[in-house]
Amino acid sequence: VSTQSTGEGGKLRIIENGLGSPCLDLSRISQQVAGECAGCDLVVIEGMGRAIHTNFNCHFKVESLKLAVVKNKWLCEKFGCPMFAAVCKYHVPDMPPPEAE
């Protein structure tokens, strides 16, 4: 969670999602995690399960970065890449950021 827009000097904070799976189902995150993300200006999702399997085409209202290493043959074929290739997907939302209050 980046805290630039919360007035905490742009510090980067890392929070756990509280799920036991390598995948990240955003409909099942806790109220605490959702609250921590309120006001952030960047979402980073890391790992093959979280970034590719469950959220690769997910769009956020803020900038997002998805990072993973491809570690299975099916995904290598899908992406047309060699085994252990790094995948980085950066997305800028279409909508402008909310006005500062």
Side-chain angles (χ1 to χ4, degrees):
V1 175
S2 172
T3 57
Q4 182 68 32
S5 60
T6 62
E8 293 183 31
K11 295 178 184 174
L12 185 65
R13 292 186 338 191
I14 298 171
I15 56 173
E16 293 184 35
N17 64 27
L19 302 174
S21 168
C23 294
L24 175 61
D25 181 348
L26 295 173
S27 69
R28 297 183 183 270
I29 61 172
S30 69
Q31 294 270 342
Q32 180 183 4
V33 171
E36 290 285 336
C37 293
C40 77
D41 53 6
L42 173 67
V43 173
V44 178
I45 301 178
E46 175 269 329
M48 192 173 77
R50 293 173 183 89
I52 295 177
H53 285 300
T54 55
N55 296 294
F56 193 71
N57 294 313
C58 178
H59 291 240
F60 297 93
K61 293 181 181 179
V62 297
E63 296 175 39
S64 63
L65 179 61
K66 296 162 186 150
L67 305 167
V69 173
V70 181
K71 296 178 275 189
N72 74 38
K73 187 177 179 178
W74 181 83
L75 281 175
C76 289
E77 291 172 3
K78 179 179 177 179
F79 286 115
C81 66
M83 188 70 80
F84 303 111
V87 174
C88 302
K89 184 176 183 182
Y90 179 68
H91 179 258
V92 177
D94 296 331
M95 57 191 290
E99 295 293 321
E101 296 179 31

